[in-house]
Amino acid sequence: MKRGKKKAWFYSMPFLIIVGLMIVVPLLYTVEISFTNMSIYHWKDYHFVGLDNYKKALLAFDSGFLPAFLRTLLWTVSSMALQLIFGFFIAVGLNAKGLKLRRVYKTLLIVPWAMPAYVSILLWRMGIFNTEFGLFNQILKQIGGKPVNFLSTNGMAFISCLVVNLWLGVPYMFTMMDGAMQSIDRNIYESAELDGAGFWKKHFYVTIPQILPILMPVIIMATFTAFKQFDIVYLMTMQTGSKTGADINTVITYVYEKAFITSNYGYSSAVAFIVFLIILVLYKTMNRREFSISEQ
């Protein structure tokens, strides 16, 4: 028995060493410097400041972290709601009886997810939302409207980023929903129809309860992806050398700004560790929810 344990540790050791070097050590170093005033001005002569960085982030609203955190919550909830709604109705449409060219539709709908996100985001920014020659403004000009600078104000920029996130996220969500719906026994639908259930009742009382336990891991991962979203907000509004004027920092872009723009490493490390703890709490909460749904 002891020999078996030693072998298990021996075979696991390379993986544990890699995890330690790539995750544990950087995490511990981040926690360490979060209690200091380390910055570009105090690169070698930084000193211990206690909980000052954490107090500034959590208690001072004008520090920028709390607005970024609230905006991130709104971003996460909005993104997930839109992805689930659009993904569900697309999946329902693709599973309709007698639908022809179903595979062609699925292939076309999956293209946005298959494309590199960086390319898609910049195409939306320059080809769709651009003030001068973007598609939306070209249409507005043709109908006699005035050009709209979609990315210059916080509200419009936030909505524009949500649209791009929907474009990138829905293909994955409807693909997972489509697979879950195909696993439902068709006899259940036939029984519901015999009981007089219409379209909405059939999907509300049959489809959703049947696919929800299967989709919970997907929903959890998509929620974390939305919460940690960086590329869309950064490339759409804050790309170096071409900022649009909107200030819609999420917690991740806020950490990036404090670490690599203002070079306040101690404070940015404190914020990063707070975000790490928030994600742990979210994971624990959603994991419990997933367990309770699977038990029902």
Side-chain angles (χ1 to χ4, degrees):
M1 190 70 176
K2 290 183 178 180
R3 182 178 294 180
K5 287 184 178 180
K6 288 181 179 179
K7 281 187 176 181
W9 279 108
F10 176 76
Y11 290 128
S12 301
M13 193 57 65
F15 173 76
L16 294 175
I17 291 173
I18 294 173
V19 170
L21 292 175
M22 297 186 66
I23 299 177
V24 178
V25 172
L27 178 61
L28 293 177
Y29 181 67
T30 300
V31 174
E32 178 189 352
I33 64 175
S34 71
F35 295 102
T36 71
N37 68 336
M38 185 179 183
S39 67
I40 193 68
Y41 305 105
H42 300 282
W43 183 251
K44 293 184 179 180
D45 61 338
Y46 61 87
H47 59 269
F48 181 77
V49 295
L51 296 174
D52 287 354
N53 291 325
Y54 292 92
K55 290 178 182 177
K56 180 181 177 182
L58 296 173
L59 301 179
F61 194 81
D62 58 355
S63 67
F65 172 72
L66 291 178
F69 175 68
L70 295 175
R71 190 178 295 111
T72 303
L73 290 181
L74 178 61
W75 167 269
T76 304
V77 172
S78 302
S79 297
M80 289 308 304
L82 290 171
Q83 287 184 33
L84 289 172
I85 292 171
F86 277 83
F88 178 78
F89 283 107
I90 292 173
V92 168
L94 289 172
N95 282 274
K97 289 182 179 180
L99 179 66
K100 298 180 180 179
L101 303 176
R102 182 180 283 108
R103 293 185 178 179
V104 176
Y105 298 146
K106 288 183 180 180
T107 303
L108 293 175
L109 288 167
I110 205 70
V111 168
W113 186 64
M115 288 180 64
Y118 183 89
V119 176
S120 294
I121 295 167
L122 291 183
L123 283 174
W124 272 90
R125 174 173 174 166
M126 302 305 298
I128 306 295
F129 294 126
N130 186 273
T131 308
E132 298 298 325
F133 51 83
L135 178 62
F136 286 166
N137 278 313
Q138 290 297 321
I139 295 173
L140 286 174
K141 288 179 182 179
Q142 292 296 323
I143 61 177
K146 294 182 179 180
V148 178
N149 196 336
F150 292 95
L151 303 177
S152 64
T153 60
N154 291 356
M156 288 298 296
F158 187 84
I159 294 172
S160 300
C161 290
L162 275 179
V163 171
V164 177
N165 192 47
L166 187 67
W167 169 267
L168 295 173
V170 164
Y172 174 73
M173 189 61 69
F174 91 75
T175 300
M176 297 297 104
M177 288 185 173
D178 177 57
M181 287 180 186
Q182 291 183 22
S183 67
I184 301 174
D185 188 352
R186 297 297 144 183
N187 293 326
I188 302 177
Y189 287 119
E190 293 176 2
S191 299
E193 289 174 0
L194 290 174
D195 290 336
F199 175 84
W200 294 109
K201 286 187 176 181
K202 187 169 59 176
H203 288 295
F204 186 79
Y205 291 106
V206 177
T207 305
I208 294 177
Q210 289 289 323
I211 67 174
L212 190 57
I214 303 172
L215 291 177
M216 276 308 296
V218 177
I219 294 172
I220 290 173
M221 293 305 298
T223 301
F224 289 148
T225 301
F227 188 87
K228 299 186 298 178
Q229 194 78 56
F230 173 80
D231 51 356
I232 293 176
V233 176
Y234 177 75
L235 292 174
M236 290 283 285
T237 64
M238 295 188 292
Q239 191 177 7
T240 304
S242 55
K243 294 186 178 181
T244 63
D247 180 20
I248 55 170
N249 265 323
T250 61
V251 289
I252 302 302
T253 60
Y254 180 75
V255 171
Y256 174 85
E257 181 182 277
K258 295 303 176 184
F260 300 106
I261 305 300
T262 64
S263 301
N264 193 342
Y265 304 116
Y267 178 72
S268 63
S269 297
V271 175
F273 187 62
I274 292 171
V275 173
F276 171 74
L277 294 177
I278 291 172
I279 290 175
L280 281 183
V281 172
L282 284 175
Y283 173 76
K284 194 70 176 178
T285 304
M286 296 191 72
N287 201 36
R288 286 180 179 175
R289 179 62 178 166
E290 177 189 5
F291 180 77
S292 64
I293 289 175
S294 61
E295 286 291 310
Q296 291 176 355

